[in-house]
Amino acid sequence: MINGYAAYKAKEELKPLSYEPKELKTNEVEIKVTHCGICHSDLHLIDNDWMMSSYPFIPGHEVSGTVVRLGDGVKHLQTGDRVGLGWQAGSCHTCEQCESGHENLCASSQGTCVGRHGGYADHVIADAAFAIKIPAAMESEFAGPLMCGGVTVFSPLRKFGVKKGTRVAVIGIGGLGHMAIQFAAKMGAEVTAISTSDSKREEAFSFGATGFINSRKEPDFAAHAEKFDFIVSTVFASMNWQALVNTLRPRGELCFVGALGIPVEVSAFSLLTRERKISGSAIGSPGMLEEMLEFAATHGVRPMIEKMPMKDVNLALKKVADNTVRYRMVLVND
Ligand SMILES: [Zn+2]
Ligand SMILES: [Zn+2]
């Protein structure tokens, strides 16, 4: 029996739920959950904001734990291995995207807690390809938030080829942004943090930023024309996107990783004359996850977390909803 905390209805508190797991498929793995981070996506799923939730379901997709059961076909893991599991718990493995190492873009991608039970539980089951070994130097409590929020910002930095001297700007210093600053700085970039609040300045510097722009005081970014090679936007709010595009150097790129539902209006001319790009990025493939965990372990990139016992999940969810967590909440099983 697997025991967890489930959403039974939108906008209601989670309540205990126990279920008998199906027989493991040959490619599946059962993970004993030691920690599970809370992501804003969990809140959206609980409230059915994306119209994709079916109740009851156990949320949670920032899992770290140990392998306790393996399907016959799983060769790359052993029982007792420490593994992380993020947003994705399955893909088809046969489509063009899967075969080219972009499993996160598979049209048949399965979410860890979409249409199945996730990680606010004592155990969780997933396609073993998405259970990523946690390097020895990485503490379990930090691995969960890296598996979702971490890879969300690591992947676009890597894909752009951020390296020593690249000028990176990170919009928003929160659950995603504080990890983006660290990753970019450890890749050797000169990082500027962009925030609406001066209160984030010192912390941004402590994460590795060397520049800071208060976008409320400088909404037109006039003093920063053609300054950045790569801008990663983690915010959900609307901004002066044209002004931000104007801060891009030739061949620079503005990449969205925040779940932004509003249109982005910029002049095509401002893109073509400087060969600038606007792009988006979503989570990361198993290969990218592995690379990200290794990089974080080696370079000391860690999310800033608050921990609460799994049984206090409703209190923890409320803190995340109220935006009072600095910066990721992690539930701990005893
Ligand atoms: Zn997430
Ligand atoms: Zn596929």
Side-chain angles (χ1 to χ4, degrees):
M1 203 63 114
I2 293 180
N3 310 292
Y5 293 91
Y8 284 80
K9 217 178 154 197
K11 308 199 190 294
E12 282 191 1
E13 290 208 327
L14 305 192
K15 295 188 199 90
L17 181 144
S18 299
Y19 67 99
E20 198 63 60
K22 290 189 202 122
E23 190 106 331
L24 276 192
K25 294 187 192 132
T26 57
N27 66 330
E28 283 183 332
V29 65
E30 181 175 333
I31 303 165
K32 182 181 193 311
V33 179
T34 57
H35 302 78
C36 188
I38 295 181
C39 178
H40 270 277
S41 305
D42 290 324
L43 301 178
H44 291 300
L45 290 173
I46 291 168
D47 289 344
N48 202 17
D49 290 336
W50 298 332
M51 308 301 279
M52 64 203 283
S53 308
S54 55
Y55 301 91
F57 75 97
I58 297 174
H61 61 271
E62 294 190 347
V63 172
S64 68
T66 47
V67 173
V68 289
R69 268 196 319 141
L70 294 156
D72 296 340
V74 181
K75 302 292 176 224
H76 70 293
L77 294 173
Q78 295 180 332
T79 54
D81 281 348
R82 277 194 315 141
V83 292
L85 175 69
W87 172 261
Q88 194 176 11
S91 75
C92 80
H93 298 295
T94 56
C95 73
E96 190 186 343
Q97 298 304 331
C98 284
E99 291 207 321
S100 61
H102 301 97
E103 294 91 336
N104 54 311
L105 303 178
C106 176
S108 310
S109 171
Q110 291 159 38
T112 297
C113 55
V114 181
R116 58 203 287 163
H117 292 306
Y120 299 175
D122 51 9
H123 293 77
V124 65
I125 291 169
D127 177 340
F130 296 89
I132 311 298
K133 251 194 225 181
I134 300 173
M138 176 58 67
E139 307 81 350
S140 292
E141 63 190 40
F142 296 125
L146 288 168
M147 291 299 293
C148 180
V151 78
T152 295
V153 294
F154 178 84
S155 173
L157 294 168
R158 261 304 197 240
K159 283 181 287 191
F160 184 79
V162 170
K163 58 182 195 298
K164 189 167 168 44
T166 308
R167 294 165 213 191
V168 172
V170 175
I171 307 176
I173 304 163
L176 293 171
H178 88 288
M179 289 193 268
I181 295 171
Q182 293 182 63
F183 277 125
K186 289 291 162 68
M187 289 172 188
E190 289 171 29
V191 186
T192 297
I194 299 177
S195 169
T196 53
S197 164
D198 280 336
S199 68
K200 297 279 179 80
R201 178 190 294 263
E202 288 315 310
E203 214 161 51
F205 288 157
S206 77
F207 294 132
T210 52
F212 184 89
I213 301 172
N214 183 326
S215 57
R216 215 162 255 159
K217 290 184 183 159
E218 295 183 73
D220 57 3
F221 302 96
H224 309 283
E226 304 220 351
K227 187 168 176 177
F228 304 117
D229 297 297
F230 190 66
I231 304 175
V232 57
S233 176
T234 71
V235 296
F236 296 77
S238 193
M239 298 197 49
N240 186 342
W241 302 118
Q242 183 65 65
L244 279 160
V245 163
N246 296 343
T247 70
L248 287 172
R249 305 176 78 208
R251 291 182 289 117
E253 185 173 326
L254 166 62
C255 180
F256 291 98
V257 299
L260 194 80
I262 53 169
V264 173
E265 205 166 298
V266 301
S267 111
F269 194 71
S270 69
L271 299 178
L272 77 87
T273 51
R274 310 306 281 151
E275 295 191 6
R276 294 159 166 151
K277 293 192 186 86
I278 296 180
S279 64
S281 187
I283 53 169
S285 64
M288 189 64 83
L289 282 162
E290 207 177 305
E291 193 184 330
M292 179 276 305
L293 282 182
E294 199 57 56
F295 185 95
T298 308
H299 293 89
V301 174
R302 300 288 186 276
M304 187 183 269
I305 62 168
E306 288 181 27
K307 290 185 279 187
M308 288 180 74
M310 184 70 78
K311 66 176 171 47
D312 294 335
V313 59
N314 286 308
L315 198 58
L317 282 166
K318 187 169 183 321
K319 288 190 70 156
V320 175
D322 292 344
N323 268 324
T324 60
V325 181
R326 292 289 174 271
Y327 280 102
R328 303 293 288 199
M329 174 64 77
V330 175
L331 298 167
V332 185
N333 270 323
D334 44 35

